Amino acid sequence: MTTTAMLDDRYGRTRSPARRRAWWIAVAVVGAIIVGALGWMTVRGSLYSVTVDNLGYEVTDSHAVSVDFQFSTTPGTDVTCALQALDPEQGIVGFRVIRYESGESHQQRHTEIIRTVAEATTGLVEGCWTS
């Protein structure tokens, strides 16, 4: 039976250490690029994240609810928030999307009115994101 080593000896071929080294260098470069990209995505995601706290709500009348909340983000970042009013069955009876300009503080507190199509029993912030 003929093996690769026997054929290499017969025809004078040799395994080049430079070729092997080049392959490992290419693997190391690709690995470093992947690790760097994953690291940057993690850092970028945490730099521009928004944390929201619902502080309370008040049903002002049968067609409006007031929502009190605060959010935290990197100063100088514009934020958009989605607010909603819910009825007793947790159905959405009011919805509002509001964009806030960047502020100098990392934390901003707001009170907003949501108009409703029926009487709401609660109001809250569905979520906020950078815009």
PDB file of all heavy atoms in Angstrom, residues 62-91:
ATOM      1  N   SER A  62     -61.971  59.242  31.883  1.00  0.00           N
ATOM      2  CA  SER A  62     -62.301  58.023  31.143  1.00  0.00           C
ATOM      3  C   SER A  62     -61.597  57.931  29.791  1.00  0.00           C
ATOM      4  O   SER A  62     -61.660  56.901  29.130  1.00  0.00           O
ATOM      5  CB  SER A  62     -63.820  57.916  30.950  1.00  0.00           C
ATOM      6  OG  SER A  62     -64.275  59.015  30.172  1.00  0.00           O
ATOM      7  N   HIS A  63     -60.902  59.006  29.381  1.00  0.00           N
ATOM      8  CA  HIS A  63     -60.218  58.982  28.090  1.00  0.00           C
ATOM      9  C   HIS A  63     -58.762  59.432  28.168  1.00  0.00           C
ATOM     10  O   HIS A  63     -58.195  59.874  27.172  1.00  0.00           O
ATOM     11  CB  HIS A  63     -60.975  59.843  27.074  1.00  0.00           C
ATOM     12  CG  HIS A  63     -62.299  59.264  26.716  1.00  0.00           C
ATOM     13  ND1 HIS A  63     -62.428  58.143  25.942  1.00  0.00           N
ATOM     14  CD2 HIS A  63     -63.568  59.628  27.059  1.00  0.00           C
ATOM     15  CE1 HIS A  63     -63.704  57.844  25.808  1.00  0.00           C
ATOM     16  NE2 HIS A  63     -64.415  58.731  26.488  1.00  0.00           N
ATOM     17  N   ALA A  64     -58.163  59.334  29.343  1.00  0.00           N
ATOM     18  CA  ALA A  64     -56.751  59.727  29.476  1.00  0.00           C
ATOM     19  C   ALA A  64     -56.133  59.079  30.710  1.00  0.00           C
ATOM     20  O   ALA A  64     -56.796  58.839  31.709  1.00  0.00           O
ATOM     21  CB  ALA A  64     -56.618  61.241  29.563  1.00  0.00           C
ATOM     22  N   VAL A  65     -54.848  58.806  30.593  1.00  0.00           N
ATOM     23  CA  VAL A  65     -54.069  58.300  31.723  1.00  0.00           C
ATOM     24  C   VAL A  65     -52.717  59.008  31.694  1.00  0.00           C
ATOM     25  O   VAL A  65     -52.159  59.270  30.632  1.00  0.00           O
ATOM     26  CB  VAL A  65     -53.920  56.755  31.684  1.00  0.00           C
ATOM     27  CG1 VAL A  65     -53.153  56.305  30.466  1.00  0.00           C
ATOM     28  CG2 VAL A  65     -53.264  56.225  32.937  1.00  0.00           C
ATOM     29  N   SER A  66     -52.215  59.344  32.862  1.00  0.00           N
ATOM     30  CA  SER A  66     -50.925  60.012  32.995  1.00  0.00           C
ATOM     31  C   SER A  66     -49.884  58.980  33.450  1.00  0.00           C
ATOM     32  O   SER A  66     -50.133  58.243  34.413  1.00  0.00           O
ATOM     33  CB  SER A  66     -51.047  61.138  34.030  1.00  0.00           C
ATOM     34  OG  SER A  66     -49.790  61.687  34.313  1.00  0.00           O
ATOM     35  N   VAL A  67     -48.772  58.933  32.765  1.00  0.00           N
ATOM     36  CA  VAL A  67     -47.716  57.959  33.082  1.00  0.00           C
ATOM     37  C   VAL A  67     -46.472  58.720  33.534  1.00  0.00           C
ATOM     38  O   VAL A  67     -46.017  59.645  32.858  1.00  0.00           O
ATOM     39  CB  VAL A  67     -47.386  57.086  31.851  1.00  0.00           C
ATOM     40  CG1 VAL A  67     -46.260  56.119  32.165  1.00  0.00           C
ATOM     41  CG2 VAL A  67     -48.607  56.346  31.372  1.00  0.00           C
ATOM     42  N   ASP A  68     -45.915  58.314  34.676  1.00  0.00           N
ATOM     43  CA  ASP A  68     -44.696  58.909  35.232  1.00  0.00           C
ATOM     44  C   ASP A  68     -43.585  57.869  35.130  1.00  0.00           C
ATOM     45  O   ASP A  68     -43.745  56.738  35.604  1.00  0.00           O
ATOM     46  CB  ASP A  68     -44.946  59.309  36.691  1.00  0.00           C
ATOM     47  CG  ASP A  68     -43.815  60.117  37.280  1.00  0.00           C
ATOM     48  OD1 ASP A  68     -43.094  60.789  36.515  1.00  0.00           O
ATOM     49  OD2 ASP A  68     -43.651  60.070  38.518  1.00  0.00           O
ATOM     50  N   PHE A  69     -42.456  58.247  34.516  1.00  0.00           N
ATOM     51  CA  PHE A  69     -41.358  57.292  34.320  1.00  0.00           C
ATOM     52  C   PHE A  69     -40.043  58.038  34.198  1.00  0.00           C
ATOM     53  O   PHE A  69     -39.998  59.258  34.062  1.00  0.00           O
ATOM     54  CB  PHE A  69     -41.596  56.444  33.062  1.00  0.00           C
ATOM     55  CG  PHE A  69     -41.583  57.229  31.786  1.00  0.00           C
ATOM     56  CD1 PHE A  69     -40.449  57.280  31.002  1.00  0.00           C
ATOM     57  CD2 PHE A  69     -42.709  57.922  31.360  1.00  0.00           C
ATOM     58  CE1 PHE A  69     -40.426  58.010  29.825  1.00  0.00           C
ATOM     59  CE2 PHE A  69     -42.701  58.644  30.178  1.00  0.00           C
ATOM     60  CZ  PHE A  69     -41.561  58.689  29.409  1.00  0.00           C
ATOM     61  N   GLN A  70     -38.964  57.266  34.269  1.00  0.00           N
ATOM     62  CA  GLN A  70     -37.634  57.818  34.040  1.00  0.00           C
ATOM     63  C   GLN A  70     -36.819  56.808  33.241  1.00  0.00           C
ATOM     64  O   GLN A  70     -37.065  55.613  33.300  1.00  0.00           O
ATOM     65  CB  GLN A  70     -36.936  58.158  35.352  1.00  0.00           C
ATOM     66  CG  GLN A  70     -36.568  56.975  36.213  1.00  0.00           C
ATOM     67  CD  GLN A  70     -35.968  57.393  37.536  1.00  0.00           C
ATOM     68  OE1 GLN A  70     -36.059  58.541  37.931  1.00  0.00           O
ATOM     69  NE2 GLN A  70     -35.357  56.454  38.234  1.00  0.00           N
ATOM     70  N   PHE A  71     -35.858  57.327  32.496  1.00  0.00           N
ATOM     71  CA  PHE A  71     -34.953  56.440  31.768  1.00  0.00           C
ATOM     72  C   PHE A  71     -33.525  56.917  31.951  1.00  0.00           C
ATOM     73  O   PHE A  71     -33.275  58.091  32.216  1.00  0.00           O
ATOM     74  CB  PHE A  71     -35.316  56.324  30.280  1.00  0.00           C
ATOM     75  CG  PHE A  71     -35.304  57.611  29.512  1.00  0.00           C
ATOM     76  CD1 PHE A  71     -34.123  58.137  29.025  1.00  0.00           C
ATOM     77  CD2 PHE A  71     -36.481  58.287  29.256  1.00  0.00           C
ATOM     78  CE1 PHE A  71     -34.106  59.310  28.306  1.00  0.00           C
ATOM     79  CE2 PHE A  71     -36.481  59.459  28.534  1.00  0.00           C
ATOM     80  CZ  PHE A  71     -35.292  59.978  28.057  1.00  0.00           C
ATOM     81  N   SER A  72     -32.605  55.974  31.822  1.00  0.00           N
ATOM     82  CA  SER A  72     -31.172  56.257  31.947  1.00  0.00           C
ATOM     83  C   SER A  72     -30.475  55.802  30.678  1.00  0.00           C
ATOM     84  O   SER A  72     -30.733  54.715  30.178  1.00  0.00           O
ATOM     85  CB  SER A  72     -30.568  55.511  33.139  1.00  0.00           C
ATOM     86  OG  SER A  72     -31.215  55.871  34.328  1.00  0.00           O
ATOM     87  N   THR A  73     -29.583  56.666  30.179  1.00  0.00           N
ATOM     88  CA  THR A  73     -28.801  56.335  28.992  1.00  0.00           C
ATOM     89  C   THR A  73     -27.552  57.205  28.984  1.00  0.00           C
ATOM     90  O   THR A  73     -27.357  58.046  29.862  1.00  0.00           O
ATOM     91  CB  THR A  73     -29.618  56.526  27.703  1.00  0.00           C
ATOM     92  OG1 THR A  73     -28.875  55.995  26.609  1.00  0.00           O
ATOM     93  CG2 THR A  73     -29.943  57.976  27.450  1.00  0.00           C
ATOM     94  N   THR A  74     -26.724  57.022  28.001  1.00  0.00           N
ATOM     95  CA  THR A  74     -25.513  57.823  27.851  1.00  0.00           C
ATOM     96  C   THR A  74     -25.895  59.268  27.537  1.00  0.00           C
ATOM     97  O   THR A  74     -26.742  59.504  26.677  1.00  0.00           O
ATOM     98  CB  THR A  74     -24.658  57.255  26.705  1.00  0.00           C
ATOM     99  OG1 THR A  74     -24.428  55.873  26.945  1.00  0.00           O
ATOM    100  CG2 THR A  74     -23.330  57.975  26.604  1.00  0.00           C
ATOM    101  N   PRO A  75     -25.314  60.247  28.233  1.00  0.00           N
ATOM    102  CA  PRO A  75     -25.620  61.648  27.922  1.00  0.00           C
ATOM    103  C   PRO A  75     -25.318  61.957  26.453  1.00  0.00           C
ATOM    104  O   PRO A  75     -24.368  61.441  25.879  1.00  0.00           O
ATOM    105  CB  PRO A  75     -24.694  62.440  28.849  1.00  0.00           C
ATOM    106  CG  PRO A  75     -24.416  61.516  29.980  1.00  0.00           C
ATOM    107  CD  PRO A  75     -24.401  60.140  29.376  1.00  0.00           C
ATOM    108  N   GLY A  76     -26.172  62.790  25.851  1.00  0.00           N
ATOM    109  CA  GLY A  76     -25.999  63.145  24.453  1.00  0.00           C
ATOM    110  C   GLY A  76     -26.670  62.180  23.495  1.00  0.00           C
ATOM    111  O   GLY A  76     -26.464  62.262  22.294  1.00  0.00           O
ATOM    112  N   THR A  77     -27.485  61.255  24.010  1.00  0.00           N
ATOM    113  CA  THR A  77     -28.146  60.263  23.177  1.00  0.00           C
ATOM    114  C   THR A  77     -29.644  60.565  23.112  1.00  0.00           C
ATOM    115  O   THR A  77     -30.284  60.708  24.149  1.00  0.00           O
ATOM    116  CB  THR A  77     -27.936  58.846  23.758  1.00  0.00           C
ATOM    117  OG1 THR A  77     -26.542  58.596  23.886  1.00  0.00           O
ATOM    118  CG2 THR A  77     -28.554  57.794  22.870  1.00  0.00           C
ATOM    119  N   ASP A  78     -30.202  60.659  21.904  1.00  0.00           N
ATOM    120  CA  ASP A  78     -31.648  60.821  21.743  1.00  0.00           C
ATOM    121  C   ASP A  78     -32.331  59.495  22.055  1.00  0.00           C
ATOM    122  O   ASP A  78     -31.814  58.420  21.723  1.00  0.00           O
ATOM    123  CB  ASP A  78     -31.996  61.239  20.319  1.00  0.00           C
ATOM    124  CG  ASP A  78     -31.484  62.634  19.980  1.00  0.00           C
ATOM    125  OD1 ASP A  78     -31.126  63.377  20.917  1.00  0.00           O
ATOM    126  OD2 ASP A  78     -31.449  62.979  18.787  1.00  0.00           O
ATOM    127  N   VAL A  79     -33.508  59.573  22.698  1.00  0.00           N
ATOM    128  CA  VAL A  79     -34.229  58.376  23.114  1.00  0.00           C
ATOM    129  C   VAL A  79     -35.675  58.465  22.625  1.00  0.00           C
ATOM    130  O   VAL A  79     -36.276  59.537  22.654  1.00  0.00           O
ATOM    131  CB  VAL A  79     -34.199  58.230  24.654  1.00  0.00           C
ATOM    132  CG1 VAL A  79     -35.058  57.070  25.117  1.00  0.00           C
ATOM    133  CG2 VAL A  79     -32.777  58.057  25.144  1.00  0.00           C
ATOM    134  N   THR A  80     -36.215  57.338  22.184  1.00  0.00           N
ATOM    135  CA  THR A  80     -37.619  57.236  21.805  1.00  0.00           C
ATOM    136  C   THR A  80     -38.283  56.215  22.720  1.00  0.00           C
ATOM    137  O   THR A  80     -37.728  55.142  22.950  1.00  0.00           O
ATOM    138  CB  THR A  80     -37.765  56.802  20.339  1.00  0.00           C
ATOM    139  OG1 THR A  80     -37.084  57.746  19.515  1.00  0.00           O
ATOM    140  CG2 THR A  80     -39.222  56.735  19.921  1.00  0.00           C
ATOM    141  N   CYS A  81     -39.468  56.560  23.242  1.00  0.00           N
ATOM    142  CA  CYS A  81     -40.181  55.667  24.159  1.00  0.00           C
ATOM    143  C   CYS A  81     -41.585  55.389  23.637  1.00  0.00           C
ATOM    144  O   CYS A  81     -42.225  56.266  23.054  1.00  0.00           O
ATOM    145  CB  CYS A  81     -40.287  56.289  25.554  1.00  0.00           C
ATOM    146  SG  CYS A  81     -38.711  56.449  26.393  1.00  0.00           S
ATOM    147  N   ALA A  82     -42.048  54.168  23.858  1.00  0.00           N
ATOM    148  CA  ALA A  82     -43.410  53.761  23.527  1.00  0.00           C
ATOM    149  C   ALA A  82     -44.177  53.591  24.827  1.00  0.00           C
ATOM    150  O   ALA A  82     -43.770  52.819  25.693  1.00  0.00           O
ATOM    151  CB  ALA A  82     -43.404  52.462  22.734  1.00  0.00           C
ATOM    152  N   LEU A  83     -45.283  54.335  24.983  1.00  0.00           N
ATOM    153  CA  LEU A  83     -46.119  54.275  26.170  1.00  0.00           C
ATOM    154  C   LEU A  83     -47.457  53.670  25.785  1.00  0.00           C
ATOM    155  O   LEU A  83     -47.933  53.866  24.661  1.00  0.00           O
ATOM    156  CB  LEU A  83     -46.342  55.674  26.744  1.00  0.00           C
ATOM    157  CG  LEU A  83     -45.146  56.362  27.391  1.00  0.00           C
ATOM    158  CD1 LEU A  83     -44.158  56.841  26.374  1.00  0.00           C
ATOM    159  CD2 LEU A  83     -45.614  57.495  28.244  1.00  0.00           C
ATOM    160  N   GLN A  84     -48.083  52.964  26.730  1.00  0.00           N
ATOM    161  CA  GLN A  84     -49.383  52.386  26.436  1.00  0.00           C
ATOM    162  C   GLN A  84     -50.292  52.422  27.652  1.00  0.00           C
ATOM    163  O   GLN A  84     -49.814  52.431  28.782  1.00  0.00           O
ATOM    164  CB  GLN A  84     -49.257  50.968  25.892  1.00  0.00           C
ATOM    165  CG  GLN A  84     -48.662  49.958  26.831  1.00  0.00           C
ATOM    166  CD  GLN A  84     -48.487  48.602  26.157  1.00  0.00           C
ATOM    167  OE1 GLN A  84     -48.624  48.472  24.953  1.00  0.00           O
ATOM    168  NE2 GLN A  84     -48.202  47.599  26.948  1.00  0.00           N
ATOM    169  N   ALA A  85     -51.592  52.460  27.384  1.00  0.00           N
ATOM    170  CA  ALA A  85     -52.621  52.398  28.414  1.00  0.00           C
ATOM    171  C   ALA A  85     -53.385  51.097  28.220  1.00  0.00           C
ATOM    172  O   ALA A  85     -53.700  50.721  27.089  1.00  0.00           O
ATOM    173  CB  ALA A  85     -53.553  53.596  28.294  1.00  0.00           C
ATOM    174  N   LEU A  86     -53.672  50.412  29.315  1.00  0.00           N
ATOM    175  CA  LEU A  86     -54.326  49.105  29.249  1.00  0.00           C
ATOM    176  C   LEU A  86     -55.659  49.132  29.982  1.00  0.00           C
ATOM    177  O   LEU A  86     -55.823  49.835  30.986  1.00  0.00           O
ATOM    178  CB  LEU A  86     -53.425  48.036  29.874  1.00  0.00           C
ATOM    179  CG  LEU A  86     -52.010  47.910  29.313  1.00  0.00           C
ATOM    180  CD1 LEU A  86     -51.218  46.896  30.112  1.00  0.00           C
ATOM    181  CD2 LEU A  86     -52.043  47.536  27.851  1.00  0.00           C
ATOM    182  N   ASP A  87     -56.618  48.316  29.494  1.00  0.00           N
ATOM    183  CA  ASP A  87     -57.910  48.171  30.161  1.00  0.00           C
ATOM    184  C   ASP A  87     -57.846  46.998  31.141  1.00  0.00           C
ATOM    185  O   ASP A  87     -56.787  46.364  31.273  1.00  0.00           O
ATOM    186  CB  ASP A  87     -59.026  48.021  29.126  1.00  0.00           C
ATOM    187  CG  ASP A  87     -58.929  46.742  28.306  1.00  0.00           C
ATOM    188  OD1 ASP A  87     -58.070  45.882  28.600  1.00  0.00           O
ATOM    189  OD2 ASP A  87     -59.707  46.599  27.355  1.00  0.00           O
ATOM    190  N   PRO A  88     -58.936  46.673  31.849  1.00  0.00           N
ATOM    191  CA  PRO A  88     -58.882  45.585  32.841  1.00  0.00           C
ATOM    192  C   PRO A  88     -58.483  44.223  32.272  1.00  0.00           C
ATOM    193  O   PRO A  88     -57.935  43.382  32.977  1.00  0.00           O
ATOM    194  CB  PRO A  88     -60.311  45.541  33.404  1.00  0.00           C
ATOM    195  CG  PRO A  88     -60.860  46.893  33.170  1.00  0.00           C
ATOM    196  CD  PRO A  88     -60.224  47.375  31.900  1.00  0.00           C
ATOM    197  N   GLU A  89     -58.744  43.979  30.978  1.00  0.00           N
ATOM    198  CA  GLU A  89     -58.379  42.696  30.362  1.00  0.00           C
ATOM    199  C   GLU A  89     -56.993  42.742  29.730  1.00  0.00           C
ATOM    200  O   GLU A  89     -56.633  41.879  28.943  1.00  0.00           O
ATOM    201  CB  GLU A  89     -59.416  42.296  29.300  1.00  0.00           C
ATOM    202  CG  GLU A  89     -60.752  41.851  29.862  1.00  0.00           C
ATOM    203  CD  GLU A  89     -61.640  43.049  30.231  1.00  0.00           C
ATOM    204  OE1 GLU A  89     -61.547  44.094  29.556  1.00  0.00           O
ATOM    205  OE2 GLU A  89     -62.397  42.926  31.192  1.00  0.00           O
ATOM    206  N   GLN A  90     -56.215  43.778  30.043  1.00  0.00           N
ATOM    207  CA  GLN A  90     -54.861  43.982  29.514  1.00  0.00           C
ATOM    208  C   GLN A  90     -54.849  44.268  28.018  1.00  0.00           C
ATOM    209  O   GLN A  90     -53.838  44.063  27.347  1.00  0.00           O
ATOM    210  CB  GLN A  90     -53.941  42.787  29.841  1.00  0.00           C
ATOM    211  CG  GLN A  90     -53.773  42.505  31.322  1.00  0.00           C
ATOM    212  CD  GLN A  90     -53.178  43.698  32.051  1.00  0.00           C
ATOM    213  OE1 GLN A  90     -52.152  44.202  31.660  1.00  0.00           O
ATOM    214  NE2 GLN A  90     -53.826  44.142  33.113  1.00  0.00           N
ATOM    215  N   GLY A  91     -55.961  44.741  27.494  1.00  0.00           N
ATOM    216  CA  GLY A  91     -56.020  45.170  26.108  1.00  0.00           C
ATOM    217  C   GLY A  91     -55.509  46.602  25.996  1.00  0.00           C
ATOM    218  O   GLY A  91     -55.710  47.419  26.900  1.00  0.00           O
TER     219      GLY A  91
END
